[in-house]
Amino acid sequence: MGQQTLRIIRPEKKTVPDSRARPLALKQVERFPELRYMGSKRRLLPWIHETLETLDFETALDPFSGSNAVGYLIKAMDRRVIASDFLNMSATIGKALIKNNSAQLDGPAMKCLLAAPTNTHDFIEKTFSGVFYTPEDLRFLDRISGNLRQLDNSHQQALAMAALMRSCVKRQPRGVFTISGDLSKYDDGRRDLRLSIEEHFFEQVEAFNEAVFSNGRRNHATRSDVFKVETRGVDLVYLDPPYVPRADDNCYIKRYHFLEGLSCYWQGLDIDYSTKVRKIPKRFTPFSYRKQAVEAFEGLFQRFSKQKIVLSYSSNGYPDLDQLTDIMKKTKRDVRVFRRNHTYHFGTHSKVKRASVEEYLIVGQ
């Protein structure tokens, strides 16, 4: 590989810029409907934007798309984006806001969504009665889930489901589905807990409609494993894999199983009825296990040896920074590390757990 370089870049202290001087991409990102997603980089987007602006690329792959916040940023930067995730809920949001350049939920679409269903869909009401939400909320979820399949436009279908999922997150205390039953102790008076799913849905339809935009590119979104996703034409890869947890605390299915099931109406999923919250099976990823993580990163960097790599990672993850840079230098001559202090917020209640970490963007070329 020749002589390799490793540069550590720390952010300079800057004054807060006038909002009128913000780049157009960041102004567009202000419209992004954040999903209160574990590990979301939404609040880090200005910093990520700074780093991406220093790189020359036309097509970016985001194979751990999660909430799709970074993919949305890259789309707003007028680059072509391929968003992918092994979770269907993430792929659905990607289809709604990354792949979709123009479709919105207009009057005819809303009329279809809100119509009395011709067939009785009551799976959600039967399965989650006494677990999540009121009977009225559950019936509304069944109705929209059934009716959205009557829409001819797949982008409208994705928008409707994305709006429905965000409605569920807002209605649910802490935004996660690990708690159920009597949730009065979590009621801190927030407006979100007062609104019904239906009331939230109307607000979220408006939010997602406003977030739709075209960057003049043929963007794509799919559900796929990072080691199987197509790489043709890709010249930059943004990687944000799961971090090896200290305990079983970083599992997305554990927290968002209801949204994952809702995104496909639980078709093809096995529900564990012995669990109070009706869990579905955890999906395997080698990045969540200490014994497999190093080998997984070696394979990941090798797979994208021909592309520029931007790896988002944290000081509370494993492997550590030195190990990751050593692994990346096997395939990249120039490795730069951008660092920033950050505080993650888990949940929204007053006693929310906060984790102060150092965030890394490890750039390999």
Side-chain angles (χ1 to χ4, degrees):
M1 289 295 301
Q3 187 174 4
Q4 299 164 329
T5 61
L6 172 61
R7 286 177 279 169
I8 306 295
I9 302 174
R10 296 182 180 275
E12 298 178 1
K13 292 184 178 180
K14 298 181 179 179
T15 58
V16 178
D18 189 316
S19 61
R20 292 170 296 182
R22 300 189 80 195
L24 291 177
L26 294 181
K27 290 182 180 180
Q28 179 63 47
V29 163
E30 291 174 359
R31 298 184 179 183
F32 179 74
E34 187 177 7
L35 195 63
R36 203 192 302 164
Y37 198 69
M38 181 174 65
S40 172
K41 299 301 186 290
R42 175 65 180 85
R43 292 188 296 128
L44 290 169
L45 291 184
W47 175 58
I48 294 173
H49 175 263
E50 275 185 25
T51 301
L52 292 176
E53 280 283 77
T54 68
L55 303 174
D56 182 20
F57 69 99
E58 286 298 318
T59 299
L61 171 64
D62 180 7
F64 299 96
S65 59
S67 71
N68 285 270
V70 174
Y72 191 85
L73 166 67
I74 297 173
K75 180 181 179 180
M77 292 172 66
D78 292 330
R79 268 60 164 207
R80 180 171 178 259
V81 181
I82 302 171
S84 175
D85 201 284
F86 75 161
L87 295 180
N88 191 64
M89 57 177 284
S90 296
T92 299
I93 298 170
K95 291 174 185 176
L97 294 179
I98 305 298
K99 184 178 181 181
N100 176 26
N101 278 338
S102 60
Q104 294 182 321
L105 292 171
D106 54 13
M110 291 300 292
K111 183 178 180 180
C112 176
L113 288 170
L114 298 171
T118 54
N119 297 316
T120 302
H121 294 274
D122 59 1
F123 173 81
I124 299 177
E125 183 180 7
K126 285 184 175 179
T127 305
F128 294 96
S129 177
V131 182
F132 303 121
Y133 309 126
T134 66
E136 293 76 19
D137 284 338
L138 297 175
R139 283 193 287 271
F140 185 78
L141 291 174
D142 272 318
R143 191 204 321 176
I144 301 300
S145 296
N147 287 344
L148 69 81
R149 289 162 177 77
Q150 305 305 313
L151 295 172
D152 294 329
N153 188 305
S154 62
H155 293 155
Q156 288 183 327
Q157 290 181 2
L159 274 175
M161 181 53 68
L164 202 61
M165 290 191 295
R166 193 167 190 242
S167 299
C168 291
V169 170
K170 283 183 165 291
R171 184 80 169 92
Q172 176 72 0
R174 301 191 183 184
V176 295
F177 297 87
T178 56
I179 54 177
S180 65
D182 181 9
L183 304 180
S184 58
K185 66 179 180 180
Y186 300 106
D187 188 349
D188 57 6
R190 284 185 297 118
R191 176 177 178 269
D192 283 350
L193 302 183
R194 297 281 183 266
L195 297 184
S196 67
I197 294 287
E198 182 173 1
E199 290 169 324
H200 275 298
F201 182 69
F202 282 108
E203 292 188 356
Q204 295 315 308
V205 165
E206 183 176 349
F208 275 89
N209 277 345
E210 290 181 353
V212 173
F213 75 100
S214 174
N215 66 349
R217 306 281 188 139
R218 294 186 64 181
N219 306 294
H220 188 59
T222 185
R223 178 184 172 189
S224 182
D225 182 270
V226 64
F227 293 105
K228 297 179 181 178
V229 68
E230 180 59 60
T231 61
R232 283 182 299 177
V234 173
D235 46 22
L236 181 141
V237 182
Y238 171 80
L239 301 172
D240 187 13
Y243 303 160
V244 173
R246 296 187 181 93
D248 185 20
D249 197 50
N250 280 7
C251 177
Y252 288 86
I253 287 293
K254 174 184 175 181
R255 281 170 165 71
Y256 308 113
H257 63 91
F258 185 84
L259 302 183
E260 180 68 5
L262 179 65
S263 71
C264 61
Y265 207 62
W266 285 268
Q267 294 180 5
L269 297 178
D270 294 323
I271 298 177
D272 186 351
Y273 286 92
S274 69
T275 60
K276 187 176 181 180
V277 295
R278 306 292 189 263
K279 292 180 181 180
I280 59 176
K282 181 179 179 180
R283 298 234 171 88
F284 171 77
T285 171
F287 298 97
S288 289
Y289 299 93
R290 185 172 288 264
K291 290 183 178 180
Q292 297 170 300
V294 171
E295 183 179 349
F297 275 105
E298 290 175 342
L300 191 66
F301 296 157
Q302 184 61 48
R303 175 166 174 74
F304 300 117
S305 59
K306 297 180 180 179
Q307 287 84 21
K308 296 180 178 71
I309 292 177
V310 178
L311 172 67
S312 180
Y313 219 64
S314 171
S315 59
N316 65 348
Y318 175 85
D320 62 23
L321 178 62
D322 289 340
Q323 287 178 289
L324 285 173
T325 54
D326 285 345
I327 297 170
M328 189 178 288
K329 283 188 288 185
K330 294 179 181 179
T331 57
K332 303 297 179 186
R333 285 192 177 93
D334 182 13
V335 178
R336 291 178 288 163
V337 180
F338 298 80
R339 312 170 83 126
R340 178 188 174 114
N341 293 328
H342 184 59
T343 302
Y344 281 102
H345 299 245
F346 298 98
T348 58
H349 54 297
S350 59
K351 295 182 180 179
V352 64
K353 179 180 178 182
R354 293 173 172 82
S356 296
V357 299
E358 190 171 36
E359 283 291 313
Y360 309 131
L361 283 175
I362 308 172
V363 180
Q365 301 184 77

